Amino acid sequence: MKWNLRERFAEFRKEFLTVVCRHPLELLLLLALTVTLIVCLEIDKEPNGPRLLVLGWGALLLLVVNRLAGCSVWRRIYWVAWTPLVPLFLWTGLPEWVESTQAIITFTILTPLALLACRRAVANERFVADALVYLRSAVLAMLFAYVAYGLFEATLWSAAYIFGFAEARWVVRLSADLFCVMQLFAAPMLFMMMLDRWDGARFGSSRVLEVLLNWVVSPAVIVYAALLYLYLLKILLTWSLPDGGVAYLVFGFTMTALMVKALRLQLEKPAFNWFFDRFSLLSLPIVALFWVGVVRRVGEYGLTEPRIYLLICGGVMTLCVCLFLSRRAGRYLHVVLAAWVVFSAVAYIPALEPERVALRSQARRVERIAARLGCLDAEGRLLHAPVRLADTVHREDYRELYEALEYLERDSAAIARFGMAESNELADLLPAQMRDYVRWGYQSEIDRVQLWIEMPAQVCIDPEGYSRCYVNLSSYDAGGYTFENDTLRIWLGEPHPLLEITGAELLKTQCARSGFDPAQGVEPAPEQALQLLDYRDDRCRILFQQMVIEHRDSVDRLYTEQIHSVWLR
């Protein structure tokens, strides 16, 4: 067939005029968005991102209203649908709202769902065909726009290189401006043009789609279903509860299977009808597995925002499975509308806000665990008493308590209710060998703990009663000091050691003097630390820069040390 450039141009011009007539407000918003961004780039001014985002989202919102109203009498609403965007655009709290969960749900979930539902296609075949029209139009619009942009860029920079104006500033500006035009105006315009062109179209069976669905995706779905049934059989035989993380696996499998079931409506000869025609019935045990896993996860660790959204998505998934138990009730449009209502309620009803619900759940979790550990006073505040080493048997509970407090840190009022400022305050009260596990889940040796004690940066030393002072002593120099075989020997340049003290005697003396017990596994108080680092007898005074005490197998010993100075009488 001969390709006529004039006919193709006339056809494009006709479709362009059709888009302008059908989508004038959308194009005006996209044009305002493009021009505003280009002007900001030309005058080197930082663009106002939230307001530009409102312009782009407003164009998509008007497209939803346009397709919902059609050419009926309700099209009058389309001409005034832009008015709510004006106060939103001028709102001083817009930047904070754009970064909120409400805005994210609105932009990424509610708007796409509204775009899917605006055609009001009750028949499943029509609904799936409309969804494929959206997908095909978006992909082809981006493809055409970026191919055209790439060809223009290649031509522009080739000409700039050949004729020697590659260093000109206007070349870079022209390239950036054209990118804005392609990204923000040309691609959306092509998308709307293709939507109008394929309005009401039905897609025939494609050989590629048929092979992909029938012989690649569908067998994989069936094998995965068999795997989940084997897991169910294992649970029944061992009479145990499913792991909490299996809920995510079940949700991903079920949604994939439902998507494949929808796409099979476009095939002339779909395979595995025996499985997909009865999928809702076959998936009921798997959905039950999902809810058992979710209930176990929530019961053990409380609610968090991701788990709340998992519950919401699981509810929509269960509704879809239950609706498709009946051929008359099973409609994708109804599932989309239900999802839109649920997510709208979660985003805009304060009592259902996931963050608030999760904070309440984690606060109850803190109360429950703290009461079990006996570290909650009569006023509901956590006791600030050091945890003894014997409490390592409860380290799992302390791990959960730390996780809950760490989650509550996003709300200062919630964590202040328990008399704490941050979860690290709890970690400071724990024995040293519990801290790594409680903070990060690391497994550490239960009966081995090392306490590192260091001298403060500034310390006052009274020289009265001492005639000589030695500083900057080295443990590597024979003239300094050594600590070997649990014995501290101080040479001070002499051929024989002037002072010789066993590590056990040194540690016993210092612990008795300071009242510190290493077996508790708790760091010493500042006053105790200074007394531990300050050794005195009738011959000398030794100040330690650092001391490491090891508690292992119920025995305390001086592991290593570093001397700051030695004072002799």
Side-chain angles (χ1 to χ4, degrees):
M1 183 178 66
K2 187 175 180 181
W3 197 81
N4 192 309
L5 181 61
R6 182 176 297 178
E7 291 180 0
R8 299 285 84 78
F9 181 78
E11 183 179 351
F12 176 81
R13 179 176 177 274
K14 179 181 178 181
E15 293 183 356
F16 174 75
L17 293 176
T18 302
V19 170
V20 173
C21 293
R22 291 187 179 181
H23 308 278
L25 297 182
E26 295 96 308
L27 291 178
L28 281 176
L29 283 179
L30 292 173
L31 183 62
L33 171 63
T34 307
V35 171
T36 302
L37 187 57
I38 290 176
V39 171
C40 290
L41 292 176
E42 291 294 334
I43 64 176
D44 294 326
K45 182 182 178 180
E46 186 72 21
N48 191 313
R51 287 183 168 79
L52 293 181
L53 183 61
V54 168
L55 289 175
W57 174 69
L60 186 58
L61 191 62
L62 287 174
L63 176 63
V64 172
V65 177
N66 194 349
R67 291 179 69 80
L68 183 63
C71 298
S72 65
V73 66
W74 296 103
R75 186 169 175 80
R76 297 173 183 175
I77 299 177
Y78 166 75
W79 296 105
V80 296
W82 57 271
T83 51
L85 297 174
V86 176
L88 180 64
F89 185 85
L90 300 176
W91 182 31
T92 56
L94 179 62
E96 291 77 15
W97 181 79
V98 166
E99 297 177 357
S100 67
T101 306
Q102 282 185 340
I104 295 174
I105 293 177
T106 302
F107 295 149
T108 62
I109 298 179
L110 296 182
T111 305
L113 289 178
L115 190 60
L116 280 174
C118 67
R119 295 293 294 166
R120 295 167 294 174
V122 179
N124 287 336
E125 293 82 357
R126 180 69 265 156
F127 183 91
V128 174
D130 287 341
L132 290 176
V133 166
Y134 286 127
L135 179 62
R136 182 180 180 182
S137 301
V139 171
L140 290 180
M142 296 297 290
L143 178 64
F144 291 157
Y146 281 110
V147 167
Y149 175 72
L151 293 174
F152 178 85
E153 284 285 283
T155 304
L156 174 65
W157 288 103
S158 297
Y161 176 77
I162 293 173
F163 296 104
F165 54 85
E167 302 295 332
R169 187 179 181 185
W170 66 268
V171 178
V172 179
R173 291 295 181 95
L174 178 61
S175 177
D177 294 345
L178 185 67
F179 178 79
C180 295
V181 172
M182 286 294 180
Q183 176 77 15
L184 303 176
F185 187 80
M189 184 195 68
L190 290 173
F191 172 70
M192 290 183 285
M193 183 183 297
M194 293 177 186
L195 280 184
D196 293 339
R197 182 174 186 177
W198 291 324
D199 189 19
R202 291 185 178 271
F203 289 89
S205 180
S206 167
R207 180 62 179 170
V208 175
L209 184 63
E210 186 173 328
V211 171
L212 181 64
L213 291 180
N214 284 343
W215 308 114
V216 178
V217 181
S218 295
V221 169
I222 295 173
V223 170
Y224 204 97
L227 180 66
L228 291 176
Y229 267 98
L230 288 175
Y231 183 66
L232 273 172
L233 182 62
K234 173 193 170 185
I235 290 173
L236 293 175
L237 292 177
T238 58
W239 199 245
S240 59
L241 290 174
D243 295 331
V246 76
Y248 295 94
L249 302 180
V250 173
F251 177 75
F253 159 76
T254 308
M255 297 309 297
T256 301
L258 290 172
M259 187 179 300
V260 174
K261 180 180 174 69
L263 292 175
R264 292 175 74 256
L265 296 174
Q266 303 298 314
L267 302 182
E268 292 181 358
K269 298 178 180 180
F272 305 103
N273 291 332
W274 57 270
F275 176 79
F276 288 99
D277 289 347
R278 301 169 180 84
F279 174 75
S280 292
L281 187 62
L282 294 173
S283 63
L284 286 179
I286 299 176
V287 172
L289 178 66
F290 168 87
W291 285 110
V292 173
V294 167
V295 170
R296 180 181 181 182
R297 196 78 170 181
V298 172
E300 290 178 346
Y301 304 109
L303 288 172
T304 59
E305 285 189 72
R307 291 182 194 131
I308 291 174
Y309 287 115
L310 179 64
L311 286 171
I312 296 171
C313 294
V316 174
M317 174 193 73
T318 305
L319 173 65
C320 184
V321 169
C322 292
L323 285 177
F324 277 87
L325 287 172
S326 169
R327 293 195 176 185
R328 294 186 62 183
R331 295 290 182 265
Y332 291 110
L333 177 63
H334 299 162
V335 177
V336 169
L337 291 176
W340 193 90
V341 171
V342 170
F343 278 102
S344 298
V346 168
Y348 291 100
I349 298 179
L352 301 178
E353 187 179 346
E355 185 176 4
R356 295 186 182 183
V357 175
L359 288 173
R360 289 196 297 267
S361 175
Q362 293 300 319
R364 289 193 296 268
R365 183 185 176 196
V366 170
E367 293 175 351
R368 183 175 66 252
I369 299 172
R372 186 165 66 239
L373 291 171
C375 56
L376 202 66
D377 62 16
E379 298 179 356
R381 294 175 176 269
L382 290 174
L383 299 175
H384 287 66
V387 178
R388 299 186 63 82
L389 187 62
D391 285 344
T392 52
V393 295
H394 302 295
R395 64 176 189 159
E396 293 285 349
D397 292 331
Y398 281 107
R399 166 78 175 151
E400 291 190 28
L401 181 60
Y402 182 87
E403 286 181 342
L405 287 171
E406 190 176 33
Y407 192 90
L408 290 177
E409 284 181 2
R410 62 189 66 192
D411 186 353
S412 58
I415 196 171
R417 169 187 166 191
F418 296 100
M420 304 188 75
E422 56 183 11
S423 57
N424 285 330
E425 291 187 12
L426 173 65
D428 293 337
L429 302 175
L430 300 173
Q433 76 266 35
M434 289 176 60
R435 290 178 192 167
D436 285 348
Y437 178 77
V438 168
R439 282 174 173 166
W440 302 290
Y442 296 160
Q443 297 288 346
S444 58
E445 298 182 48
I446 291 296
D447 40 354
R448 178 179 182 268
V449 57
Q450 288 185 348
L451 299 173
W452 292 69
I453 307 166
E454 296 188 3
M455 180 179 289
Q458 296 180 352
V459 60
C460 296
I461 302 174
D462 183 10
E464 185 177 353
Y466 300 96
S467 59
R468 289 174 291 171
C469 175
Y470 298 86
V471 296
N472 298 326
L473 299 178
S474 174
S475 60
Y476 302 101
D477 186 1
Y481 68 94
T482 59
F483 184 71
E484 297 175 350
N485 299 323
D486 196 39
T487 301
L488 173 64
R489 296 179 178 88
I490 300 177
W491 303 81
L492 301 180
E494 299 295 331
H496 302 285
L498 297 180
L499 300 171
E500 191 169 338
I501 311 170
T502 64
E505 178 188 355
L506 177 63
L507 181 59
K508 181 180 179 181
T509 301
Q510 296 305 95
C511 287
R513 181 168 178 263
S514 62
F516 175 68
D517 183 9
Q520 294 183 352
V522 181
E523 298 286 351
E527 297 79 7
Q528 288 180 319
L530 287 176
Q531 291 175 344
L532 281 170
L533 297 173
D534 189 357
Y535 173 82
R536 304 185 189 188
D537 61 14
D538 55 355
R539 300 171 296 169
C540 66
R541 179 182 182 184
I542 305 173
L543 292 176
F544 292 93
Q545 181 70 37
Q546 183 186 82
M547 183 181 291
V548 180
I549 303 173
E550 182 180 74
H551 177 83
R552 186 171 188 175
D553 299 329
S554 302
V555 176
D556 301 325
R557 73 183 186 94
L558 187 61
Y559 184 73
T560 184
E561 45 73 32
Q562 181 180 343
I563 292 180
H564 173 272
S565 57
V566 176
W567 301 73
L568 298 179
R569 295 187 183 277

